[in-house]
Amino acid sequence: MSAGVHTVAVIGAGKIGELMLSGLLRSGWPVDRLLATARRPARAEELTARYGVRVVDNLTAVDEAAVLAVSVKPQDAAALLDEIGPKVPADKLVISLCAGLPTSFFNRRLPDGTPVVRVMTNTPALVDEAMTAISAGAYATGAHLALAEEMFKPLGQTIRVPESQQDAVTALSGSGPAYFYLLVEAMIDAGILLGLPRQVAHELIVQTAIGSAVMLRDSGEHPVKLREAVTSPAGTTISAIRELEKHGVRAALLAALEAARDRARELAAQAD
Ligand SMILES: NC(=O)c1ccc[n+]([C@@H]2O[C@H](COP(=O)([O-])OP(=O)(O)OC[C@H]3O[C@@H](n4cnc5c(N)ncnc54)[C@H](OP(=O)(O)O)[C@@H]3O)[C@@H](O)[C@H]2O)c1
């Protein structure tokens, strides 16, 4: 299997499915090699108007596409697989973008031997800065993983992980953008508390976030070193850090990510 040659159907093209469609198109994937499915006619019209992509029903997508990228909510996956599962020939590649659902969830509802690849991407895919983790299910080969990688590489970085790590990945990078947005939002509020106009506080913090992220990525330094470089003895930063530690920010993050991991497990249990 190689990229751009096979028809990919995005089944349940909501927010994440749309990210995938638009990313594939930006990377030069031919629009006539893409299909999408949607539950509501208005959503189907929107996708066709925006991307020129053909929106079909789920069974037509199964018929025509070699790769089925399932991007429905986890709680909708069982109903979808009840509909399409028996009709999926075992040579199709199924890529799941559903948080929490193990590949075994799909394999129990698909013909024996169907290759399933589990993918966890994130919303910075919109600006080609996604972090996408890819895992092979029981019947997925190296070639299937490579194809999934080729599809997600144009959207940012990809990494292969054992499937047993995917719930942790979901907690870290899948939900991760939300944590950074929350921090930025809180810091903008702090700027307002200190008397800055909202727009100024926004500009200061957004550029500080971008600069810090680029340094984290490009300097090769451990975050502790980068933080220490800003933390001079008896200075302003250490006064702030004392408050962050006093308020348990580090412990809150540990607990928060554990809660996200547990919720991924719960969603999978509820979907079954
Ligand atoms: N959002 C994120 O940041 C993020 C990050 C990583 C992973 N994910 C995963 O990505 C998946 C999708 O999340 P999302 O945020 O994109 O949800 P979403 O916007 O609700 O998209 C799901 C889409 O699937 C459609 N759908 C549901 N059942 C269908 C069916 N049987 N046939 C055809 N279409 C169907 C829904 O239609 P309706 O519009 O009628 O509901 C909706 O448009 C989830 O499993 C989530 O865990 C999300």
Side-chain angles (χ1 to χ4, degrees):
M1 284 198 165
S2 63
V5 176
H6 298 281
T7 298
V8 176
V10 178
I11 313 263
K15 287 184 283 299
I16 284 291
E18 182 171 351
L19 287 186
M20 191 177 164
L21 277 177
S22 70
L24 285 171
L25 287 168
R26 281 198 306 283
S27 74
W29 199 282
V31 71
D32 62 357
R33 294 282 177 196
L34 288 175
L35 294 171
T37 80
R39 202 156 47 175
R40 291 169 297 112
R43 177 63 181 157
E45 282 163 27
E46 195 173 68
L47 289 165
T48 303
R50 218 170 269 168
Y51 303 103
V53 68
R54 192 154 67 92
V55 181
V56 295
D57 60 69
N58 291 330
L59 291 178
T60 306
V62 166
D63 231 29
E64 293 190 19
V67 180
L68 308 172
V70 176
S71 62
V72 299
K73 288 256 164 65
Q75 55 271 32
D76 290 328
L80 172 73
L81 290 168
D82 284 348
E83 180 193 353
I84 66 168
K87 305 276 166 41
V88 176
D91 62 341
K92 307 253 168 172
L93 170 61
V94 174
I95 295 183
S96 161
L97 291 107
C98 303
L101 298 187
T103 53
S104 58
F105 175 94
F106 288 82
N107 280 126
R108 281 201 303 279
R109 294 166 170 84
L110 290 166
D112 267 356
T114 307
V116 180
V117 168
R118 180 169 166 187
V119 161
M120 176 49 59
T121 190
N122 64 11
T123 56
L126 256 183
V127 291
D128 297 341
E129 291 288 355
M131 186 68 240
T132 304
I134 296 174
S135 309
Y139 308 107
T141 63
H144 295 125
L145 281 179
L147 176 62
E149 253 165 14
E150 266 188 86
M151 289 169 58
F152 284 92
K153 271 221 159 84
L155 301 184
Q157 302 293 320
T158 62
I159 188 173
R160 290 187 188 188
V161 298
E163 189 177 0
S164 58
Q165 294 177 2
Q166 278 282 11
D167 287 340
V169 167
T170 302
L172 260 77
S173 55
S175 302
Y179 318 145
F180 287 107
Y181 299 139
L182 183 92
L183 280 178
V184 165
E185 187 193 329
M187 285 196 267
I188 291 172
D189 275 350
I192 292 164
L193 181 72
L194 301 184
L196 294 174
R198 178 171 290 278
Q199 188 49 35
V200 172
H202 186 276
E203 267 182 56
L204 291 173
I205 288 303
V206 169
Q207 179 54 29
T208 302
I210 292 169
S212 309
V214 171
M215 281 188 74
L216 275 168
R217 187 188 60 192
D218 295 348
S219 70
E221 292 285 8
H222 192 278
V224 169
K225 274 229 148 176
L226 295 174
R227 180 171 62 72
E228 280 174 358
V230 194
T231 315
S232 34
T236 55
T237 310
I238 193 64
S239 301
I241 285 172
R242 181 177 60 181
E243 289 303 313
L244 290 172
E245 297 292 8
K246 205 153 75 184
H247 288 86
V249 168
R250 193 185 296 264
L253 284 169
L254 294 176
L257 271 70
E258 210 170 26
R261 190 272 321 269
D262 292 349
R263 182 64 185 144
R265 289 178 179 168
E266 258 172 43
L267 284 173
Q270 284 166 13
D272 241 332

